[in-house]
Amino acid sequence: MKIAIFGAGYVGLVQAAVLADAGHSLVCVDVDAEKVENLNKGIIPIYEPQLEPLVKEGIALGRLQFSCNAEDAIGNCEIIFIAVGTPPDDDGSADLQYVLAVAETIALHMNGYKIVVNKSTVPVGTADKVHHRIRTGLDKRNVDYDFDVVSNPEFLKEGDAVNDCKRPDRIIIGTTSVKAEDTMRELYAPFNRNHDKVLLMGVRSAELTKYAANCMLATKISFMNEMANLAERLGADIEEVRLGIGSDSRIGYSFIYPGAGYGGSCFPKDVRALIRTAQSLDYPSRILDAVDSVNDRQKQRLLELIDQHYSESGTSGRLAAKVFAVWGLSFKPQTDDVREATSRVVIEGLWHRGAKVQAYDPEAMEEIQRIYGSRDDLRLCGTKEAALEGADALIICTEWKHFWAPDFDQLHDKLGDRAIFDGRNIYDPHKIKELGFAYYGIGRGLSVSRDGGL
């Protein structure tokens, strides 16, 4: 099949590369000429495991190309994906200007039947708006081409997006058009062989499914963080509680890891967008409001623990003289995405207290450098060990695997105050305390020791 994808960002790029790998012919359209030029050279603007070789192979085989020429892309393809960004407006609602701009461009260059696929995460009713924009554009041209607008939301996890795209849990197709359904089933046939993963539903149901899925996952995270905060006050260990509830098949182990709050480009934005949708309908979204509020509060938890530690040690007024090593800057492992990342809240909070930061992340440091520039109170280090030099305490913000088993003797020697603030609960608090560290995790501050003591 010949396919055009508008938007060479995270979703569009992954989708294009995987469809090209399956044998389809793809052109990915973007307005950023420099990005397009680099992509055609195989230079990828984001870090995502397996993506770069897949893009390069697609280009080499002639199945994947990048272009700024919307007219040619639309004219030569029957299926057109809209995969542009939907950033939040000031009120939290999704900004549809780029989606609707693509719809107008499609109407301007249509030369026959097209299937327009909304891949971007968009509010319920967006397909109707896209349909209206295209119909209005065709009327202005005094032409009457048939077309269908399909909702086909993505469910990609950053850090594992290529695998998610190749082996999807479900393929949601929102349409009432038999022709569009048949074409979409043919498009996804290479990914639908083990068993039928296609879920056919109405367009509005498909649009809501995407938001409902992300909000459910965010709810599980905020719930566990709420339980973690209770555990600290009750003398319980949330990690033991997690195993206890996760063993219930009705709950499961996924997305019940307590920590220092969720981030990224999806959960925060989508929760707030659905809250805004509820407000527009005069419906009080009490659970979603709480999910968002708990997450905002949880991102302050590491700073609270730091204040607590130095207050108890009698040095609360001397944080301005402290240097903190920060391991992990991306909002999760296997990505360079720092949007809404807890690390940024922590770093900015430390700066506000007058402290200095020495940070390391295997992928996200370039983006942090771009955001904050050069500062006397920020040093980006080439290794996690280098970040420890001259540091008083260590903060874990992201659970990259090579942070899990450090040289604790080295940590003991390097950290002036021998304090570890573990925002992802990757260390055993009993073992760390036995090694002579002051240890603070999430929901583990008053954990019962194995001999029964506190």
Side-chain angles (χ1 to χ4, degrees), residues 45-61:
I46 59 173
Y47 172 73
E48 180 64 35
Q50 304 181 57
L51 181 59
E52 184 173 341
L54 208 61
V55 170
K56 289 181 176 178
E57 181 182 26
I59 294 171
L61 294 174

Side-chain angles (χ1 to χ4, degrees), residues 191-223:
F191 314 99
N192 197 37
R193 298 191 62 177
N194 181 266
H195 63 276
D196 190 4
K197 301 174 184 177
V198 171
L199 297 175
L200 183 68
M201 59 183 69
V203 173
R204 286 179 170 247
S205 296
E207 290 172 331
L208 182 56
T209 296
K210 169 61 177 179
Y211 277 105
N214 277 356
C215 289
M216 172 60 82
L217 297 175
T219 298
K220 293 182 73 174
I221 295 170
S222 280
F223 174 82

